[in-house]
Amino acid sequence: MNSESPVSHGPPRLTGERGAGGIGHRWKELKVQDGARGALIAFFSTVVVFGVVTWVILSSSTWPAVRRQFFSVRHLREVWPAVWGGFALDVKMFIVAEVLILAFALLVAVIRSLRGPAFFPLRMLTIVYIDILRGIPLILLILILGFGVPALTLPGVPNDPVFWGVTALVISYSAYTSEVYRAGIESVHESQRSAARALGLTQWQALRFAILPQAVRNVVPALLNGLVSLQKDVALVSILGVREAVREAQIYNARTFNYTGLIAAAILFLIISVPAARFTDWYTARERRLRGGH
Amino acid sequence: MDEAKLRVRDLRKSFGSKVVLDGIDLDVAEHQLVCLIGSSGSGKSTLLRCVDLLEPIDSGSIWIDDEEITAPYVDPNAVRRRIGIVFQSYNLFPHMNVLDNVTLGPRRAHGIDRESAERRARELLERFGLADKVLVYPDQLSGGQQQRVAIVRALAAEPELLLLDEITAALDPELIAEVLDVIRDLKGQGLTMLLATHEMGFARDIADVVCFLDQGRILEQGPPSEIFSHPSEPRTRQFLERIIDAGRL
């Protein structure tokens, strides 16, 4: 659609100035008309395509059944309070997990990038942690922690599935996120570290004041991507029986054999994840533009 | 020479199989400005980085006053707090404004309170014609201004010794003078400096001692009048002839 829009056709100034006034002028008119026509074509083709698709769906013999199964207003009214309440729990778990992930992953990344032989065991520990946790499917980790640990019935260890679900999310996502941070740390030029150390700053201070602020700024888009992904994966905690949106919809579905609740849950997730994805794109493009400007 | 500020003895350093410093002996007396000259890859930068303990050395020793800074029990951070260094590529912190760049060292490494650090930074910036750049970010400054900020940053903690590594090499010709003027000023203040440079005219005018480095050794050293007019080593003569041919002296 863009290539057809009037904006992308710059006014053909050279031709207009060089050629006989009339011809140049006419050519320009033609181009503008072409652009306007392009926009019109795009508009109508969109209407036609979506119109046809809608008509095909609505007129198909199975549509009434599909509507009853997935888009029933009556069922929506009935299931909504439970799904909405469950979604609030999803959002809460997401926020708590994200904050913990951002902090814990940074700690892991910092430890992994420490230099000097004295830190070797710590560095090794972080590498083992990252390798193992990135290699285990998240759903498996949730099952192991959520069902396995409470089954030990150890004194003082919580058996709340929400607690273990969020814990599993945090330790799994932190492994990925720490690698994002580490990429950011490594993207800052070595000379910045030299400059900081030359001022007499310790290794830790050089990281804290010179390296990390630049590193984090470099990876904000990647962190935002992780955030969008986490927001959806929170629903995996439902396998522990936590009554969040997906679980509530499933319960209703099991009772009524109607899927409207699941669609409602899907829409609730989309309401957060689509704007978050658009924001990530916008932010990334803006950063690129600002950096490119210098 | 026994009150030398900086003494380097038989300093050796290799990167892999490449010998970069091959037994350097060097003295810099207090208040002196010593220039290191020599072609690229002769070891000038590495020597400066070794003196600031930014590169581990293979063997030899470096002394400041009567303290061996290369001894194993010495805290390198404490040494670096006494030495200032300015790099060819400025290496300012792009996420900090000029004032924060200059006060980072005094505040975090020296524990000076914010107010005193900023007062001193503003004084220095004013002295070097940067008073109106205090709150500006590095990418809004010209190369010459950035390098002057980098010099101020190195001076902010009042170093006993200032190391300058090809500080004009990345600058446009018309910006070189403003940076060299700063060095002249500092020399007038009696600051002890060790400077690696390609600016032979400047070295001849201002240095107390010129050292010619070649393949990791100091081949010849002496007052500039001697080195530039009557070099005794054929390699020095060759190097200077090339410089003169290139119109740089």
Side-chain angles (χ1 to χ4, degrees):
Chain A
M1 192 197 145
N2 261 338
S3 62
E4 296 283 341
S5 77
V7 184
S8 61
H9 292 290
R13 261 196 323 190
L14 266 182
T15 321
E17 280 157 15
R18 240 191 313 151
I23 296 169
H25 184 67
R26 252 188 5 235
W27 191 62
K28 193 172 163 180
E29 288 251 294
L30 188 74
K31 281 317 228 190
V32 171
Q33 261 176 15
D34 195 40
R37 213 179 59 194
L40 268 178
I41 292 171
F43 175 73
F44 279 112
S45 81
T46 307
V47 168
V48 168
V49 167
F50 281 90
V52 167
V53 169
T54 310
W55 179 77
V56 166
I57 290 172
L58 292 184
S59 64
S60 83
S61 58
T62 51
W63 169 244
V66 168
R67 200 177 60 183
R68 270 198 310 279
Q69 283 278 37
F70 293 102
F71 304 103
S72 153
V73 175
R74 185 176 67 81
H75 284 293
L76 181 64
R77 282 218 190 94
E78 217 169 304
V79 75
W80 180 258
V83 170
W84 176 250
F87 189 67
L89 177 59
D90 277 316
V91 171
K92 263 182 240 159
M93 290 192 293
F94 161 66
I95 290 171
V96 170
E98 182 66 30
V99 169
L100 292 175
I101 288 163
L102 289 177
F104 184 56
L106 184 60
L107 180 72
V108 173
V110 164
I111 290 172
R112 189 164 178 188
S113 62
L114 285 178
R115 293 175 186 195
F119 295 111
F120 178 74
L122 277 177
R123 274 201 304 271
M124 203 176 64
L125 205 63
T126 62
I127 292 169
V128 169
Y129 162 71
I130 291 166
D131 280 356
I132 290 181
L133 270 296
R134 281 200 310 179
I136 299 178
L138 178 53
I139 195 159
L140 200 52
L141 193 67
I142 291 174
L143 287 173
I144 291 169
L145 290 182
F147 288 136
V149 179
L152 293 172
T153 60
L154 295 172
V157 173
N159 56 8
D160 177 11
V162 173
F163 173 84
W164 288 111
V166 170
T167 303
L169 287 170
V170 168
I171 61 178
S172 173
Y173 264 79
S174 293
Y176 288 97
T177 311
S178 76
E179 289 293 274
V180 170
Y181 278 127
R182 192 166 71 99
I185 290 170
E186 282 173 6
S187 74
V188 177
H189 198 270
E190 185 59 32
S191 63
Q192 288 285 308
R193 191 186 293 261
S194 287
R197 298 307 301 274
L199 294 176
L201 299 180
T202 62
Q203 180 172 220
W204 163 243
Q205 287 175 320
L207 257 176
R208 159 82 180 73
F209 297 110
I211 312 296
L212 284 182
Q214 300 183 61
V216 171
R217 221 174 73 177
N218 286 348
V219 296
V220 164
L223 292 175
L224 287 171
N225 257 328
L227 190 135
V228 172
S229 156
L230 173 70
Q231 192 259 335
K232 294 173 299 174
D233 280 354
V234 167
L236 288 172
V237 176
S238 68
I239 57 167
L240 298 179
V242 173
R243 296 187 65 163
E244 48 72 69
V246 176
R247 190 69 184 181
E248 291 288 2
Q250 255 182 331
I251 290 169
Y252 184 83
N253 168 248
R255 192 154 56 78
T256 63
F257 300 106
N258 184 278
Y259 295 85
T260 305
L262 290 169
I263 296 296
I267 289 170
L268 284 174
F269 279 101
L270 284 174
I271 285 173
I272 294 203
S273 59
V274 170
R278 285 286 80 76
F279 175 77
T280 305
D281 287 355
W282 171 81
Y283 182 88
T284 309
R286 195 191 68 139
E287 274 294 284
R288 198 179 302 130
R289 208 171 50 240
L290 288 180
R291 303 269 174 105
H294 296 315
Chain B
M1 274 294 177
D2 45 334
E3 8 80 90
K5 187 78 207 168
L6 171 71
R7 275 181 296 154
V8 177
R9 289 292 175 269
D10 197 31
L11 178 60
R12 288 168 196 279
K13 167 80 185 170
S14 306
F15 291 112
S17 60
K18 183 170 166 36
V19 179
V20 182
L21 297 177
D22 191 11
I24 297 278
D25 289 297
L26 175 70
D27 285 292
V28 180
E30 190 130 34
H31 309 305
Q32 266 197 341
L33 192 165
V34 173
C35 276
L36 303 171
I37 62 169
S39 51
S40 302
S42 59
K44 306 187 294 289
S45 289
T46 306
L47 175 55
L48 294 178
R49 291 179 63 85
C50 286
V51 170
D52 205 18
L53 304 183
L54 292 171
E55 293 288 351
I57 65 171
D58 295 344
S59 67
S61 60
I62 303 171
W63 305 67
I64 289 189
D65 296 332
D66 288 325
E67 191 192 346
E68 189 194 340
I69 63 171
T70 44
Y73 51 83
V74 171
D75 172 15
N77 297 321
V79 172
R80 293 190 198 108
R81 275 178 235 140
R82 302 168 62 186
I83 303 177
I85 186 165
V86 184
F87 303 96
Q88 174 177 338
S89 49
Y90 335 131
N91 299 1
L92 294 175
F93 304 120
H95 60 296
M96 294 182 186
N97 65 29
V98 166
L99 189 63
D100 290 341
N101 262 283
V102 174
T103 56
L104 179 65
R107 286 180 60 201
R108 304 298 173 183
H110 296 258
I112 295 169
D113 67 280
R114 187 190 188 110
E115 207 184 325
S116 321
E118 291 193 348
R119 198 178 331 113
R120 161 114 181 113
R122 283 175 192 275
E123 277 169 20
L124 278 171
L125 289 166
E126 192 166 349
R127 191 171 123 203
F128 294 113
L130 296 159
D132 56 333
K133 306 294 182 197
V134 172
L135 298 178
V136 163
Y137 282 81
D139 60 6
Q140 293 162 288
L141 297 172
S142 73
Q145 288 167 339
Q146 289 194 49
Q147 194 57 295
R148 282 186 286 148
V149 171
I151 294 171
V152 169
R153 180 174 70 175
L155 292 172
E158 304 181 1
E160 302 161 40
L161 170 68
L162 185 62
L163 309 172
L164 302 148
D165 185 8
E166 307 263 9
I167 58 168
T168 56
L171 295 177
D172 291 337
E174 71 270 24
L175 301 177
I176 289 175
E178 67 181 72
V179 171
L180 294 183
D181 284 346
V182 172
I183 306 306
R184 228 181 287 273
D185 184 354
L186 295 175
K187 159 98 171 134
Q189 307 278 321
L191 186 62
T192 312
M193 287 183 276
L194 180 58
L195 171 131
T197 189
H198 283 302
E199 297 294 326
M200 297 305 149
F202 182 71
R204 190 179 52 190
D205 291 348
I206 199 173
D208 295 299
V209 174
V210 172
C211 300
F212 175 66
L213 263 80
D214 186 62
Q215 295 176 347
R217 297 163 183 270
I218 294 181
L219 220 53
E220 192 167 358
Q221 61 177 309
S225 54
E226 202 176 290
I227 300 281
F228 285 104
S229 316
H230 318 287
S232 51
E233 293 286 332
R235 302 271 313 175
T236 317
R237 225 170 294 149
Q238 213 177 21
F239 172 75
L240 289 173
E241 273 163 16
R242 278 210 311 273
I243 294 285
I244 290 164
D245 286 345
R248 299 292 293 271
L249 187 68

